[in-house]
Amino acid sequence: MDGMSGPHVIRGSVSLPEAELMWRFSRSGGPGGQHVNTSDSQVELRFDLAKTEALPEVWKQRALQRLASRLVDGVLTVRASEHRSQWRNRETAAVRLAALLAEATAPPPKPRKPTRIPRGINERRLREKKQRSDTKRGRSGRDWG
């Protein structure tokens, strides 16, 4: 994996604008070796969803609505600290942000059209139920004897 894998596409021709991404690096928590106290491998990626010009207006409104609980003053924050290298964490954070935005800007699903069950199918179901019930009734050993 050399370099960053280009622009992170949200959907279609829309991708995350590198200029609008705010990165912050800090030390990851948890155990580690001697190197751990000197490397800022945890990545915090912030994206100002409220002020961005990169998303179509409709998408932006949709995302603001759906991600409302995750936003702080219209800013979306994603953290990554799984990997030991800052570079991989940057990748992870960017991919995560793109996925979040892709999900939040997706068009609402089409409403479901209710369909009717064909009469024949219903009748067959009732017929089979009746047969089954007769079979089971025939098992009760009342007239044996």
Side-chain angles (χ1 to χ4, degrees):
M1 201 156 86
D2 310 320
M4 282 190 100
S5 54
H8 291 277
V9 177
I10 297 173
R11 210 173 39 253
S13 59
V14 181
S15 59
L16 284 176
E18 197 58 53
E20 291 184 24
L21 299 180
M22 296 166 278
W23 298 93
R24 232 175 68 202
F25 308 103
S26 55
R27 295 183 188 146
S28 290
Q34 291 94 328
H35 182 59
V36 73
N37 299 324
T38 56
S39 60
D40 293 343
S41 60
Q42 174 171 295
V43 171
E44 190 179 276
L45 173 57
R46 302 168 55 154
F47 178 65
D48 197 335
L49 189 55
K51 297 199 184 93
T52 185
E53 299 292 316
L55 299 177
E57 197 53 42
V58 188
W59 286 23
K60 194 157 109 177
Q61 291 314 319
R62 221 180 270 156
L64 283 169
Q65 211 172 356
R66 290 189 187 160
L67 297 172
S69 60
R70 286 199 57 158
L71 299 176
V72 180
D73 299 333
V75 177
L76 181 61
T77 307
V78 176
R79 269 197 199 85
S81 59
E82 297 76 86
H83 304 293
R84 285 175 61 178
S85 96
Q86 186 193 95
W87 204 246
R88 307 241 322 260
N89 281 332
R90 285 181 69 149
E91 278 293 303
T92 308
V95 167
R96 222 176 268 165
L97 182 66
L100 254 176
L101 288 173
E103 204 175 306
T105 57
K110 291 198 173 74
R112 181 183 169 276
K113 257 199 254 155
T115 53
R116 284 197 48 217
I117 298 171
R119 206 168 92 216
I121 287 180
N122 219 7
E123 283 171 359
R124 188 180 75 203
R125 181 180 64 88
L126 293 173
R127 217 175 27 251
E128 285 171 0
K129 258 172 87 96
K130 196 162 179 52
Q131 262 177 347
R132 187 98 188 113
S133 119
D134 289 346
T135 303
K136 287 189 168 188
R137 216 181 23 249
R139 288 185 190 151
S140 67
R142 273 186 311 222
D143 0 309
W144 291 19

